Amino acid sequence: MNHSPEAWGRPRDDVYGHYDHSFLSSSVPTAHTSQPIVTGTSVVALKYNGGVVIAADNLASYGSLARFTDIKRLKQVGTHCVVGAGGDISDMQYLFDRLLESVLIAEDYQNDGHSLRAPHIYSYLARVLYKRRCKFDPLWNSLLVAGFGDDKKPFLASADLLGTRFSAPALATGFGAHLAVPILRLIAPDEAAVENITKEQAIKAVKDCMKVLFYRDARSMNKYSIAIISEDGVDLQDGVELEDQSWKFADRIRGYGTQVN
């Protein structure tokens, strides 16, 4: 019997015959991810006069199973930037823990007094997403980048797995693009309206959107992370719970409870 470490766990050759390595080789082409398995849902963000508010819940769903309930989908990058990610969790972890950390380390090594701002991080991430898309191996994420630019003005922009880039005063990914953005546009229809939005109004609007998403999106949960980015820096809060929930509206929905006809 072969007792060498490389044989540990194998069937015994003297009992089952020689170990067949052919199953390790494949004649089919290399395949990339075509459908994410563990995913996060919406990220919601809104500009206000003096900063940006961004939020994302802490749920990672394994298909339709609410599997992981403590996944942080907001990452602070530098002193005045937060990146929020929806979509595939493993791709998000690759972006957050490998790419962005490498960029920050390289920037710190320069020691030139310059720090990366939100437009720099956004430009880098958008190009990474577009490059992977061109290789037919996309990172299955939708990203929101919020913070401040070198001009000391609030910055908010979006990039997706195709490398599509755009900016707006109110943005959301996933179901939030359908359910949250209309709510946010009531107070921020354009860039000019941002001047009249206070920090308190922006926080309330984003929290209202997280509540609506919990009501309507089956892949969301009632705990989320929220970050307020201002000229003073980033205030990132984890494990925030929804407040003032009310499900009374459900009584008026046909097919719910006693309203079956």
Side-chain angles (χ1 to χ4, degrees):
M1 183 176 179
N2 186 359
H3 292 284
S4 59
E6 60 267 18
W8 292 353
R10 287 185 181 180
R12 290 173 53 181
D13 289 348
D14 58 334
V15 176
Y16 299 100
H18 182 68
Y19 192 70
D20 183 10
H21 294 270
S22 62
F23 78 95
L24 295 174
S25 61
S26 175
S27 59
V28 299
T30 301
H32 300 304
T33 302
S34 59
Q35 182 177 356
I37 302 300
V38 180
T39 59
T41 183
S42 307
V43 183
V44 179
L46 175 65
K47 286 184 184 179
Y48 68 89
N49 187 2
V52 188
V53 179
I54 183 171
D57 67 46
N58 297 339
L59 178 67
S61 301
Y62 181 78
S64 60
L65 173 68
R67 179 63 182 85
F68 306 101
T69 58
D70 192 28
I71 300 297
K72 309 299 190 298
R73 297 192 292 119
L74 298 183
K75 180 177 178 65
Q76 181 176 347
V77 184
T79 58
H80 290 79
C81 177
V82 172
V83 180
D88 189 76
I89 296 299
S90 61
D91 286 345
M92 178 197 76
Q93 291 170 334
Y94 170 71
L95 286 170
F96 284 4
D97 300 335
R98 295 191 61 183
L99 293 190
L100 288 179
E101 287 297 327
S102 297
V103 169
L104 291 175
I105 291 171
E107 178 65 22
D108 289 341
Y109 280 161
Q110 298 295 325
N111 196 24
D112 56 1
H114 178 271
S115 61
L116 292 174
R117 294 279 184 156
H120 311 141
I121 298 298
Y122 174 67
S123 182
Y124 169 73
L125 290 175
R127 282 163 171 76
V128 168
L129 291 168
Y130 183 69
K131 175 192 173 184
R132 290 291 295 265
R133 172 254 189 179
C134 291
K135 293 173 64 178
F136 292 92
D137 184 18
L139 295 169
W140 290 75
N141 295 110
S142 294
L143 305 178
L144 295 187
V145 180
F148 279 79
D150 290 329
D151 57 1
K152 304 296 180 66
K153 292 183 179 179
F155 177 89
L156 176 60
S158 169
D160 65 13
L161 78 166
L162 300 177
T164 306
R165 308 170 52 177
F166 60 94
S167 178
L171 290 174
T173 70
F175 251 99
H178 307 282
L179 299 175
V181 169
I183 297 173
L184 298 177
R185 283 179 177 169
L186 292 175
I187 63 172
D190 51 38
E191 290 288 348
V194 173
E195 298 297 325
N196 300 320
I197 302 175
T198 65
K199 175 181 175 180
E200 291 73 21
Q201 288 175 323
I203 293 173
K204 182 180 183 303
V206 169
K207 287 186 175 182
D208 287 344
C209 289
M210 298 306 293
K211 187 187 302 184
V212 170
L213 288 170
F214 179 58
Y215 289 157
R216 298 293 186 178
D217 184 0
R219 304 294 178 265
S220 65
M221 70 176 298
N222 61 341
K223 288 186 178 180
Y224 59 93
S225 301
I226 185 169
I228 299 98
I229 308 107
S230 64
E231 291 184 358
D232 298 328
V234 175
D235 179 15
L236 178 57
Q237 305 170 31
D238 293 322
V240 180
E241 294 196 27
L242 293 178
E243 302 171 350
D244 302 325
Q245 294 183 47
S246 174
W247 294 88
K248 293 181 179 179
F249 68 89
D251 289 336
R252 300 189 299 273
I253 299 176
R254 296 290 179 178
Y256 180 90
T258 59
Q259 305 292 327
V260 294
N261 297 318

